[in-house]
Amino acid sequence: MNVVETIAGVRELVRAERRRGKSIGLVPTMGYLHEGHLSLIRRARTECDFVVVSVFVNPLQFGPQEDYNTYPRDLNRDARLAAEAGAAVIFHPAPAEMYPEGFQTHVEVERLSQGLCGAFRPGHFRGVATVVTKLFNIVTPDRAYFGEKDAQQLALIQRMVRDLNLDVEIVPLPIVRESDGLALSSRNTYLSPAERRAATVLYRALLRGRDLIAAGERDGRRVGEAVRGTLQAEPLVSRIDYVAVVDPETLAEKAALSGRVMLAVAAYIGKVRLIDNIRVVVD
Ligand code: AMP
């Protein structure tokens, strides 16, 4: 696997492929790859000739009290897994390559950054929008692949691409889960065995909401309360940041449920903050 650490280096590789008429796919990640990431890489490979996986733990999207320093990293393993899934190159820049001395330009997606995770992680989505814009400009992909796991990130990037006329197709892919329902996440490695067992409560809570809707409930607030109740019944849930019943594109709260609806939660299991969501079409 070709691991490239410089912007000039990855640009050169991409330019050579373009000259040969090849299409380019980009899968942005923070590394410590799991099946969720690999599903994006595999899909990218079926639709693009040359797949670039970026592995960059982006300091700009971490708050001062967050886990930037302890975020799990294993580049050798990532390189092997990415190659097996069909990637041609890993772009792994150092922070100073992306943010050299004097860096001061940011991308802000205004309203979509504010609710849900944005309310608890100030500056996070500005960091995400900025790094993704840079990656798009560096790699110039035809298509870029994102997981629905990070639903607010996905909505914001789709909005940003439209607002700034970025010439890239955003391909969203469904959440990959463990057999017991827990959404795969690099942060799951922080969980103790007991916490790992308790962590399935996020998905169980979302399913409770979905079941209520299926049974005819159309009041978003009542669905939200049922989801919250399920979370609160788990003793290892130490804090609930939000339970949201929203439109998946605008992230606006939905009081009366119809059309496309997303149930989303963020909660702490012990000290580990986890997010999850589920999409429902209400007729
Ligand atoms: P991360 O490395 O956590 O920044 O994630 C990189 C990309 O992988 C993002 O587009 C995520 O939404 C996506 N991703 C993370 N976990 C999953 C999952 N369980 N299923 C599908 N996609 C995922």
Side-chain angles (χ1 to χ4, degrees):
M1 163 62 69
N2 198 353
V3 177
V4 179
E5 297 191 342
T6 64
I7 292 166
V10 76
R11 280 200 157 134
E12 203 176 303
L13 287 177
V14 167
R15 278 204 196 103
E17 295 300 320
R18 275 229 187 283
R19 273 198 299 272
R20 299 168 55 216
K22 305 292 188 189
S23 60
I24 313 295
L26 171 66
V27 181
T29 82
M30 299 205 299
Y32 215 70
L33 301 182
H34 53 61
E35 272 302 315
H37 300 116
L38 300 180
S39 73
L40 304 180
I41 300 171
R42 287 191 201 105
R43 168 65 83 87
R45 186 61 192 99
T46 67
E47 297 176 348
C48 308
D49 299 311
F50 189 78
V51 176
V52 179
V53 175
S54 59
V55 172
F56 180 57
V57 184
N58 175 31
L60 224 54
Q61 70 189 67
F62 285 78
Q65 309 303 327
E66 293 184 352
D67 56 345
Y68 175 72
N69 287 316
T70 53
Y71 195 85
R73 294 162 167 91
D74 189 342
L75 188 62
N76 289 332
R77 180 171 164 277
D78 288 348
R80 179 171 53 76
L81 293 175
E84 283 168 11
V89 53
I90 283 191
F91 176 48
H92 178 61
E97 177 76 0
M98 293 295 271
Y99 306 115
E101 189 76 27
F103 182 89
Q104 54 186 290
T105 305
H106 298 87
V107 179
E108 186 105 40
V109 183
E110 293 173 353
R111 280 195 307 281
L112 284 172
S113 296
Q114 282 167 15
L116 306 182
C117 288
F120 299 89
R121 305 187 68 189
H124 171 68
F125 287 113
R126 177 171 117 131
V128 169
T130 302
V131 80
V132 170
T133 302
K134 285 172 67 73
L135 290 169
F136 286 173
N137 285 333
I138 292 164
V139 178
T140 65
D142 298 280
R143 297 182 196 83
Y145 297 80
F146 291 87
E148 289 176 349
K149 164 85 188 332
D150 298 273
Q152 186 170 13
Q153 167 175 288
L154 174 62
L156 174 133
I157 286 165
Q158 286 173 318
R159 184 75 249 171
M160 176 181 90
V161 163
R162 285 203 294 276
D163 287 354
L164 299 181
N165 309 99
L166 304 183
D167 194 12
V168 54
E169 181 192 341
I170 302 302
V171 183
L173 287 180
I175 299 177
V176 176
R177 300 180 180 281
E178 303 279 6
S179 55
D180 63 3
L182 177 65
L184 265 58
S185 163
S186 308
R187 290 190 168 99
N188 291 349
T189 54
Y190 297 148
L191 298 166
S192 72
E195 289 170 343
R196 168 64 189 80
R197 285 191 295 278
T200 58
V201 72
L202 275 77
Y203 187 53
R204 285 189 280 113
L206 293 169
L207 290 181
R208 167 99 180 97
R210 189 175 75 181
D211 287 350
L212 267 186
I213 297 172
E217 181 61 76
R218 294 293 179 267
D219 180 337
R221 207 171 37 85
R222 279 211 286 271
V223 171
E225 278 164 12
V227 173
R228 185 175 288 273
T230 306
L231 289 173
Q232 282 167 338
E234 168 50 62
L236 292 187
V237 170
S238 51
R239 174 174 146 185
I240 299 171
D241 272 357
Y242 61 79
V243 171
V245 181
V246 296
D247 178 292
E249 206 173 305
T250 64
L251 306 182
E253 204 174 297
K254 279 208 163 186
L257 301 185
S258 66
R260 298 194 310 139
V261 174
M262 181 169 75
L263 313 183
V265 296
Y268 283 77
I269 308 291
K271 289 186 164 45
V272 186
R273 185 178 188 277
L274 299 177
I275 59 171
D276 199 355
N277 68 82
I278 202 170
R279 285 158 203 258
V280 189
V281 180
V282 183
D283 44 28

